[in-house]
Amino acid sequence: MAHSSELMAKIDGSIEKKNELIDKKFSKYAVRSVLATLYLSLGSAIALGLGIKFDGSIGKMLYAFTFGLGLALIIFLNAELGTSNMMYMTVAAYRKKLKPSKAFKILMVCVLFNLIGAIIVAYLLSVTGFFKGLPADNFLTHIVEGKFQKGIGQTVIEGMFANIIVNLAILMSMKAKDDAARFMSILCVIFIFTFLGFEHVIANFIYFPLAFFSSGGAVAGMTIAALTTNIVFTFIGNFIGGGLVIGLTYAWLNNDETLKYLD
């Protein structure tokens, strides 16, 4: 009988917990998904704050390095992030831990409550002293305006790379021997995607409303069509990167035909 690697065993264990939680304690699963965007928003807020306060390359470096604090909080406090669930649910379906329909349900419930949490927290952040009434010409709006200038192909590819990196950070944290190593591995790996400005759908759930609320809607190119296009194609790219490139690849590398669907 084939045996899973230690890493895949941890992924399988997480899948079982997610499945049990959504079946037996749906409200708690929903809250964990909302908390994920609270934590990601806090990491984003300090990262953006440093980018706003410090001009040029120093601000960008500080922004990129501190953004990973949000993912660290999510991992350490067991919140539910849609882009990491792209990996988990692809593994679940391939390894027959969950039926594909159940895996899809868990992913979409997570993404929905990530979105709800992001909008609420973004609004609340926008009325704090730091973000209230930002001028139109600021670090945050520059980032958001740049997203609307990207073509569909670029958005998909950047989304793919972003979620490869996010899920590599998660896998690295699983392999780390202690909490300090886990923490530093997350920050250092996430730095790659943030510094390069790649597209992450849950981060965009936060950035778009925060830019809108904090600047009174003065964001060039922000239309319903532009928002929808970015979200849809970032989601597709994220799924390719996290679900197929990382999730499916690791599931195939550790294939075990004896695993059965969970009830």
Side-chain angles (χ1 to χ4, degrees):
M1 176 180 174
H3 293 279
S4 299
S5 68
E6 180 183 352
L7 185 65
M8 195 55 61
K10 290 181 178 179
I11 293 176
D12 288 344
S14 294
I15 291 166
E16 291 178 13
K17 290 177 182 177
K18 294 172 190 290
N19 183 58
E20 181 179 4
L21 192 61
I22 203 164
D23 279 346
K24 298 180 180 179
K25 300 176 181 179
F26 182 89
S27 61
K28 291 186 177 181
Y29 186 85
V31 170
R32 284 179 183 269
S33 300
V34 171
L35 286 175
T37 39
L38 169 60
Y39 302 154
L40 195 63
S41 295
L42 292 175
S44 299
I46 186 59
L48 290 166
L50 289 168
I52 290 169
K53 285 293 185 183
F54 295 92
D55 293 330
S57 58
I58 293 176
K60 185 176 180 180
M61 291 282 288
L62 291 171
Y63 161 75
F65 187 71
T66 52
F67 180 88
L69 291 169
L71 183 63
L73 287 170
I74 290 169
I75 292 173
F76 276 82
L77 298 176
N78 298 315
E80 290 290 317
L81 183 67
T83 45
S84 60
N85 273 330
M86 292 176 182
M87 174 185 71
Y88 284 115
M89 292 303 109
T90 301
V91 172
Y94 181 84
R95 289 170 62 79
K96 300 182 180 180
K97 297 290 291 179
L98 296 174
K99 294 179 179 179
S101 58
K102 184 64 172 297
F104 180 75
K105 173 186 174 180
I106 293 173
L107 173 61
M108 296 313 294
V109 167
C110 181
V111 171
L112 173 61
F113 283 96
N114 283 169
L115 175 60
I116 292 170
I119 294 171
I120 293 171
V121 176
Y123 173 74
L124 294 175
L125 281 173
S126 74
V127 299
T128 62
F130 191 92
F131 288 99
K132 185 177 181 180
L134 286 178
D137 184 23
N138 68 77
F139 186 79
L140 170 59
T141 54
H142 286 169
I143 290 175
V144 170
E145 288 168 1
K147 293 177 182 296
F148 299 137
Q149 295 170 7
K150 298 175 183 179
I152 289 173
Q154 181 181 352
T155 300
V156 171
I157 292 170
E158 290 191 3
M160 177 187 73
F161 279 118
N163 214 23
I164 288 173
I165 293 164
V166 167
N167 284 286
L168 286 176
I170 292 168
L171 297 180
M172 286 284 288
S173 73
M174 290 181 184
K175 296 291 287 182
K177 300 300 182 182
D178 56 55
D179 287 344
R182 292 176 69 200
F183 182 71
M184 288 308 299
S185 66
I186 293 166
L187 293 189
C188 292
V189 175
I190 292 299
F191 177 89
I192 302 169
F193 114 70
T194 315
F195 185 81
L196 295 175
F198 292 155
E199 295 293 316
H200 184 273
V201 68
I202 311 301
N204 287 353
F205 284 173
I206 300 162
Y207 279 40
F208 292 156
L210 180 57
F212 180 85
F213 293 135
S214 63
S215 62
V219 181
M222 182 179 280
T223 64
I224 296 297
L227 288 168
T228 302
T229 299
N230 179 277
I231 293 299
V232 168
F233 289 101
T234 298
F235 184 97
I236 291 170
N238 287 170
F239 184 79
I240 293 169
L244 304 183
V245 176
I246 299 299
L248 187 61
T249 297
Y250 272 89
W252 176 76
L253 288 171
N254 296 277
N255 187 42
D256 186 341
E257 298 298 338
T258 65
L259 292 172
K260 303 298 183 183
Y261 288 121
L262 291 174
D263 294 330

